[in-house]
Amino acid sequence: MIIECSESFLSLFGFESTEWNELIGTNGFNLLIEYNSEKFKQYFEELLEKGFLNDKEGIFTRKDGSQFVGSVNLSMVNDASKKPLYIIGIIRDITHQKEIEKTSLEKEKLLQQSEERSRMIIDSIVHIILEVDIKGNVLYISPQVYQILGYHPEKLFGKDGYDLLHPEDKDRVLKVIENAVTFNKQINIEFRLRHKNGHYLPMLLYANIKEINGELRIIGSLIDLTDKKDNEMKLRVSEEKYRRLYETAQVGFWTSRIEDDEIINANDKMASIVGLTRAEDITETRLTDYIKEEQVKKLHDLLQEFGIVSNFEARLANPSGIKKTISITARLFKDINYGYVIEGFMIEITYLKKTKDALKQSQEMFQLVLNNIPQFIFWKDINSCYLGCNENFARVAGVRNPEDIVGKTDKDLVWQEEEVDFIHETDALVIESNCAEFHIMEQQLQADGKHAWLDTNKIPLHDTEGNVVGLLGTFEDITERINGEIAIKKSEAKYREAFQNANLLKDLFSHDINNILQSIQTANEIYDLEVKKNNYKKLNEISDIIKMQINRGAKLVNNIRKLSLLENSEIPLEPISVFDVLDDSIERIKSMFPHKKIIFQKKSVSNELKCHANEFLHEIFDNILLNAIIYNDKKIIKIKINITRETRNEKKFIIISIRDNGIGIEDIRKETIFQRIYNKDKTISGVGLGLSLVKKIVESYEGEIWIEDVLQGDPSKGSKFIILIPEALITMKF
C-alpha cells in the first residue's frame, strides 16, 4: 500500500500534484501490467530476504492507460527489532533507453546478417575473390583458392602474389597493372599462375583499382580458364577432323538454300555422285539440276513439317545420262547469312536397291513356299522371341499374318500357361545343348478353340561362326491319329472289361444260384422229415427259409439285370426324397422277416431332404439293410439310421449313416467288400454282387460309400455304412 509519494512520482504516472490522494492507500502492484505482476511478487520476496532490490525492470501503466518501462530500486526500513516497517522506492522511466538499446541490437543483428550474406556469397562464387596492394601483397583471398590452386588462404595473406606468376607472363602483367593505375582503367588480362603442386594454370584477372584509406588496392576476381582452354583445343581438333571428314568422306555433303535450291557448299564426293569432278563444279548449281523437281518439292515439304528427314530415296540423272538411286538424310535450319538452308548428305544405293529388291523377291518366294506346305513352321531367337512363321502357324497362333508374329513370345499367343512353360523348357533345351529334339509330343489349345495333339521337331540355328542364334521348329497336327489310337484303346478296354464282366457274372450267378438251390433242397428235406413228425412250428421256420432263398434268387437275377443296365446306359438323375425311399425299404425288409424282432431308429436334420438320384436309390438301402439282418446273430436286431448335411468344396451333400449290431466286418474284408468278386470258399455264404451294385449306384450319383466299425477297432460290435450323396437344392417358384 502506498503511504507517501513525491510529485515526480505523481507526474511519472500521469497524476496532477493535487491528485496524490488517488494513489495514497492503493496497492502499488496495481501500477504493473498484468502479465508482469507475478514477476514483481517474486521481487518482493527477494526484497524481504535481502532488504533491498536494485535496477529491477518492469512495465508500468499510467493513469491514461499508456505504458512505460521503469527501473526500480527498493530499500526495506525496519524498526529496532528489525521488523519491516515500510519500503522506500525510486522509479525511473527507461523507455527511451530501451528503445535505443533495441535499435542498436537490431542494427547489430542486421550488420551480422549482412556480413554473413556477403561471406556466403563469396564462398558460393566459383572464382577466386582477391584484394592486393600495388606491390602485389595479398590482403585478402577467398577460400576458392584452395580448390583451384591448392593454397590455404591464410598461408597467402601478406605474401607477394606476383611470385606465383609464370616468368614469361610477369612483365606483361605488371605493365598492364601500371597502365591501369595511371589511366584508372579496369584490368582484364590472361596469364598463368603456379599451382601448389608446381604446374601452371591459365587464369583471367578481372579487377579494378580502388583507393582505400589513402592506399591503392587491386580488387577483383581470378577465373580458372582450364576448362575453357581445353574446350577451345577440343573445338579446334574437332573442326579439323570435321573438315578432313567433309573433304574426304565417301558420302556426298552439301548445303543449299531452300528458296531457290542453289547449292552453296559441297564436297568432292557430292560432285562425283552427280557426275562432276570437283566440289567447285557443283556450287551455284541447283538440286533440281540433278533430281526431279517433284522429288525435291517432296523433300522440302517433309523438312518443313518435321525439320529432319532420314533415308529419303530419290532418282538421280547425271549429265552423262546414267540413272542412279540415292538416299538422302537432311535437316532444315536458319543460317545467319543465307536464311533457311538444307544441310544434308547423300549416298548412292543403286546396287543396294537392286540387291534389296532381289532379296525381297527371294523372301516373298520363300514365304510363298512356306505358306503352301502342310506343316506348321516357325523360327525364334535365343530368347524365344518369334522371328517369323508360315501362314499355317500364324492361323493356329491367333495372329492375322506371319509378319505380325515378329517380336512376340509364346505368352503373347493363345497357348495356355502350362503349354507356354513346356514350350520354353524344350526351347531352352535345344538352345543350351545345341542339339535337335525330334518328335516332341505335346498338346496345344489353338486360336479356334481346338485342343490339338502335335508332333514337334526343333533344331538349333547357327551364325557363320557356328554360334547358336535361335531355333527352327516344325510340327504336324496328329490329333486325328491320337484320337484314333485313344478310341481303339478305349474300345479294346471296353470289350475286354465287358468280356471279363460277362465271365464274372456267369461265375457269380452259377455260384450263388447253386448255393440258393442247395439251401432250398436242404430245407425241403427237413420239411419232409418234420411233416412226418407233425412238427408244424418247425415247418413254418423251414417255409420262411425257403421263401428267403427264393427271394435271394430273385434278388440275384434282378441285381445282374440292374448292374448290366448301369454299365451300358446312363439313367438321368432327379430330386428324390430320401425319407420316402428309405421308409419303403424298411417296410419291404420287415415283410421279408416277419418272425424276427427288428428295431429301426431314424434321426434326421430334416424330413424334407432330397438328393440327386434315380430309381436305383432303394437298391442301396435294400442291400445294406438286408445284410444288416442276414449277418446278425442277435435275438433283437437294432438298426440306427442318422441323416445329416455336410458341405465339401462348396458343394452340399446328404450323409446317411446306417449302423447295426450284427457280427461286423473284419478290416481285411472292408477293403474288398465293394469289389465285384466272389468267394469260391463254400464255407462263406452270401450273395457277392449286392454291395458291388451299391457302390456302382453311389458312384453314378457322384457320391461316396465306406464302412466303419461301430466301436472303433472292434468289428464284433457291429458295422456302420456311411453314404454321401449330393443334395438336390429345390428352387421355390412364386
Side-chain angles (χ1 to χ4, degrees):
M1 176 184 295
I2 298 174
I3 59 176
E4 190 175 346
C5 64
S6 66
E7 289 187 7
S8 59
F9 183 87
L10 292 171
S11 176
L12 179 62
F13 283 94
F15 291 92
E16 297 292 337
S17 60
T18 58
E19 295 176 332
W20 58 269
N21 58 327
E22 292 187 24
L23 285 177
I24 300 301
T26 62
N27 189 343
F29 285 116
N30 291 335
L31 300 175
L32 294 169
I33 64 172
E34 187 173 332
Y35 60 83
N36 266 338
S37 60
E38 190 64 35
K39 181 172 67 175
F40 266 80
K41 288 178 182 179
Q42 294 175 3
Y43 290 165
F44 187 74
E45 292 176 359
E46 184 180 345
L47 174 65
L48 292 176
E49 181 181 352
K50 293 181 177 181
F52 65 91
L53 288 178
N54 292 326
D55 298 323
K56 299 298 183 180
E57 296 180 1
I59 300 175
F60 295 87
T61 304
R62 293 188 177 92
K63 180 182 178 181
D64 60 3
S66 62
Q67 297 175 357
F68 68 93
V69 180
S71 176
V72 180
N73 292 289
L74 301 176
S75 295
M76 182 73 70
V77 178
N78 301 321
D79 60 11
S81 62
K82 296 186 178 181
K83 290 184 179 180
L85 292 176
Y86 53 86
I87 299 169
I88 298 175
I90 299 173
I91 299 177
R92 291 184 297 111
D93 184 353
I94 59 171
T95 304
H96 182 65
Q97 178 184 336
K98 286 294 181 180
E99 289 176 352
I100 293 174
E101 290 177 357
K102 181 179 179 183
T103 302
S104 298
L105 288 173
E106 289 177 350
K107 287 182 178 180
E108 184 178 348
K109 184 176 180 182
L110 289 173
L111 180 59
Q112 290 176 349
Q113 290 176 348
S114 177
E115 290 176 350
E116 182 67 22
R117 280 197 297 269
S118 299
R119 187 161 47 253
M120 290 175 61
I121 291 171
I122 291 174
D123 290 345
S124 65
I125 295 174
V126 296
H127 310 313
I128 300 171
I129 307 300
L130 82 164
E131 179 184 348
V132 298
D133 60 21
I134 297 301
K135 295 179 181 180
N137 295 316
V138 178
L139 304 177
Y140 171 80
I141 193 162
S142 65
Q144 285 77 4
V145 69
Y146 179 76
Q147 299 293 332
I148 297 174
L149 293 172
Y151 300 102
H152 289 284
E154 60 271 15
K155 299 292 185 181
L156 293 177
F157 291 160
K159 303 292 184 182
D160 186 355
Y162 295 153
D163 288 344
L164 301 179
L165 290 168
H166 193 284
E168 297 177 359
D169 298 338
K170 187 171 183 178
D171 291 341
R172 179 170 55 86
V173 172
L174 292 177
K175 287 181 181 180
V176 170
I177 293 174
E178 182 181 354
N179 188 53
V181 171
T182 303
F183 299 101
N184 194 23
K185 291 183 178 180
Q186 285 185 336
I187 300 172
N188 190 341
I189 185 172
E190 293 183 15
F191 51 83
R192 290 164 289 179
L193 280 179
R194 187 175 66 250
H195 191 278
K196 186 179 180 181
N197 293 336
H199 62 279
Y200 286 87
L201 297 179
M203 307 293 291
L204 169 65
L205 174 61
Y206 185 82
N208 291 296
I209 305 297
K210 298 289 184 180
E211 183 177 345
I212 300 176
N213 298 326
E215 295 183 1
L216 294 178
R217 306 285 177 85
I218 301 172
I219 301 175
S221 62
L222 278 171
I223 302 172
D224 184 3
L225 299 180
T226 304
D227 291 341
K228 178 185 176 184
K229 294 296 182 181
D230 289 345
N231 291 336
E232 288 175 352
M233 178 61 71
K234 290 177 182 177
L235 180 60
R236 285 196 296 270
V237 172
S238 176
E239 287 175 347
E240 180 62 23
K241 287 182 178 179
Y242 176 76
R243 185 185 62 79
R244 289 199 302 269
L245 176 65
Y246 186 81
E247 293 175 353
T248 62
Q250 298 304 302
V251 176
F253 290 100
W254 93 95
T255 306
S256 61
R257 285 198 300 261
I258 197 167
E259 61 180 359
D260 56 8
D261 289 317
E262 181 179 331
I263 298 172
I264 55 179
N265 194 10
N267 66 349
D268 289 342
K269 184 61 180 179
M270 175 69 177
S272 174
I273 291 174
V274 300
L276 301 175
T277 305
R278 299 174 305 169
E280 292 81 1
D281 299 332
I282 197 172
T283 55
E284 298 185 1
T285 63
R286 303 179 188 281
L287 276 181
T288 50
D289 294 337
Y290 314 104
I291 304 172
K292 290 183 178 181
E293 188 173 346
E294 58 269 22
Q295 290 183 317
V296 174
K297 184 179 183 306
K298 184 177 180 181
L299 176 63
H300 285 186
D301 293 343
L302 291 172
L303 285 170
Q304 288 174 343
E305 182 176 359
F306 301 106
I308 188 168
V309 174
S310 300
N311 302 320
F312 178 81
E313 285 191 14
R315 295 287 291 169
L316 188 70
N318 61 19
S320 62
I322 300 175
K323 296 186 181 298
K324 298 179 180 180
T325 302
I326 59 172
S327 175
I328 295 174
T329 296
R331 71 184 182 104
L332 181 67
F333 73 99
K334 190 173 184 179
D335 184 86
I336 59 175
N337 297 317
Y338 299 100
Y340 284 101
V341 299
I342 300 172
E343 183 179 67
F345 66 85
M346 65 174 63
I347 57 174
E348 183 184 351
I349 59 169
T350 306
Y351 177 76
L352 180 63
K353 179 72 172 175
K354 290 180 180 179
T355 304
K356 185 178 178 181
D357 291 343
L359 178 62
K360 183 179 178 182
Q361 291 176 0
S362 175
Q363 289 174 336
E364 289 175 351
M365 178 58 69
F366 174 69
Q367 191 68 44
L368 185 64
V369 172
L370 289 180
N371 292 338
N372 285 278
I373 58 178
Q375 283 78 15
F376 300 77
I377 302 174
F378 60 91
W379 52 99
K380 302 178 178 179
D381 63 17
I382 58 174
N383 297 314
S384 286
C385 289
Y386 283 93
L387 300 175
C389 67
N390 65 352
E391 287 185 352
N392 283 341
F393 186 88
R395 185 182 68 256
V396 300
V399 295
R400 182 175 299 178
N401 299 302
E403 53 268 23
D404 294 337
I405 206 169
V406 176
K408 294 185 183 297
T409 66
D410 291 287
K411 290 183 178 180
D412 302 320
L413 304 180
V414 297
W415 325 136
Q416 294 179 322
E417 184 176 352
E418 58 270 20
E419 295 171 352
V420 171
D421 293 340
F422 180 74
I423 291 169
H424 286 175
E425 286 177 10
T426 55
D427 286 355
L429 178 63
V430 171
I431 291 171
E432 293 173 6
S433 67
N434 194 18
C435 294
E437 291 288 327
F438 297 105
H439 302 299
I440 305 168
M441 304 296 289
E442 57 182 327
Q443 277 190 298
Q444 183 185 80
L445 176 63
Q446 298 180 343
D448 59 0
K450 174 184 176 183
H451 286 273
W453 278 96
L454 310 177
D455 183 358
T456 304
N457 302 305
K458 294 181 179 180
I459 60 174
L461 295 176
H462 305 90
D463 59 16
T464 55
E465 297 179 356
N467 300 313
V468 177
V469 294
L471 63 85
L472 172 68
T474 66
F475 66 77
E476 292 185 60
D477 188 337
I478 57 171
T479 306
E480 292 184 4
R481 189 181 84 191
I482 293 295
N483 289 341
E485 292 174 356
I486 293 173
I488 291 172
K489 290 179 181 178
K490 285 183 178 179
S491 178
E492 289 176 351
K494 180 179 179 180
Y495 286 114
R496 188 181 300 111
E497 183 181 4
F499 178 75
Q500 292 172 350
N501 288 342
N503 285 333
L504 179 61
L505 291 175
K506 180 189 72 174
D507 292 342
L508 282 170
F509 186 78
S510 60
H511 171 264
D512 287 342
I513 204 70
N514 182 60
N515 285 343
I516 293 169
L517 293 175
Q518 183 66 40
S519 297
I520 293 173
Q521 182 180 355
T522 301
N524 190 54
E525 291 173 354
I526 295 173
Y527 185 86
D528 290 341
L529 291 174
E530 296 299 331
V531 167
K532 293 177 182 179
K533 296 177 182 180
N534 294 322
N535 189 352
Y536 296 107
K537 183 178 179 181
K538 190 69 173 178
L539 291 178
N540 288 333
E541 293 178 1
I542 295 170
S543 177
D544 288 343
I545 292 173
I546 293 172
K547 288 179 182 178
M548 185 177 70
Q549 294 302 321
I550 292 172
N551 286 333
R552 288 180 65 196
K555 187 72 173 178
L556 174 63
V557 173
N558 193 38
N559 282 348
I560 291 174
R561 179 186 68 80
K562 290 177 179 177
L563 188 59
S564 176
L565 185 62
L566 277 172
E567 291 178 342
N568 292 286
S569 62
E570 291 187 3
I571 301 175
L573 306 181
E574 59 183 355
I576 293 180
S577 171
V578 175
F579 254 78
D580 290 347
V581 176
L582 183 59
D583 287 342
D584 288 345
S585 291
I586 290 173
E587 293 303 318
R588 189 162 41 253
I589 294 300
K590 282 182 177 179
S591 67
M592 294 172 61
F593 300 95
H595 301 294
K596 286 184 177 290
K597 187 169 183 179
I598 307 170
I599 300 174
F600 286 94
Q601 294 179 350
K602 289 191 301 179
K603 183 180 179 182
S604 176
V605 295
S606 172
N607 294 338
E608 303 294 330
L609 294 177
K610 292 191 176 184
C611 64
H612 279 296
N614 53 29
E615 61 189 68
F616 292 142
L617 180 60
H618 70 87
E619 293 292 339
I620 298 173
F621 299 142
D622 285 1
N623 274 280
I624 294 174
L625 296 176
L626 184 61
N627 284 336
I629 295 171
I630 292 175
Y631 300 104
N632 197 315
D633 55 2
K634 304 294 190 301
K635 291 182 179 180
I636 299 175
I637 298 172
K638 296 181 179 180
I639 300 174
K640 296 182 179 180
I641 303 169
N642 187 34
I643 304 174
T644 59
R645 281 191 176 108
E646 184 175 315
T647 300
R648 294 188 179 186
N649 298 325
E650 299 183 355
K651 187 174 182 179
K652 295 185 180 298
F653 291 89
I654 296 173
I655 299 179
I656 305 159
S657 170
I658 302 175
R659 55 188 292 179
D660 60 54
N661 62 340
I663 63 174
I665 301 171
E666 297 292 335
D667 289 341
I668 192 170
R669 290 201 63 206
K670 288 187 180 76
E671 299 175 2
T672 60
I673 198 165
F674 291 112
Q675 296 178 8
R676 195 185 305 173
I677 59 175
Y678 74 93
N679 196 328
K680 294 185 178 182
D681 186 355
K682 299 295 189 281
T683 63
I684 300 176
S685 62
V687 180
L689 193 61
L691 290 179
S692 67
L693 176 63
V694 167
K695 184 174 179 63
K696 185 76 175 178
I697 294 170
V698 171
E699 288 178 346
S700 72
Y701 297 162
E702 297 184 355
E704 297 179 33
I705 184 170
W706 66 92
I707 304 173
E708 297 177 358
D709 296 328
V710 171
L711 180 62
Q712 188 174 359
D714 187 359
S716 65
K717 299 301 182 182
S719 299
K720 179 166 64 173
F721 283 76
I722 301 171
I723 308 157
L724 185 142
I725 304 175
E727 182 178 357
L729 300 177
I730 307 302
T731 303
M732 300 297 293
K733 295 183 180 180
F734 298 95

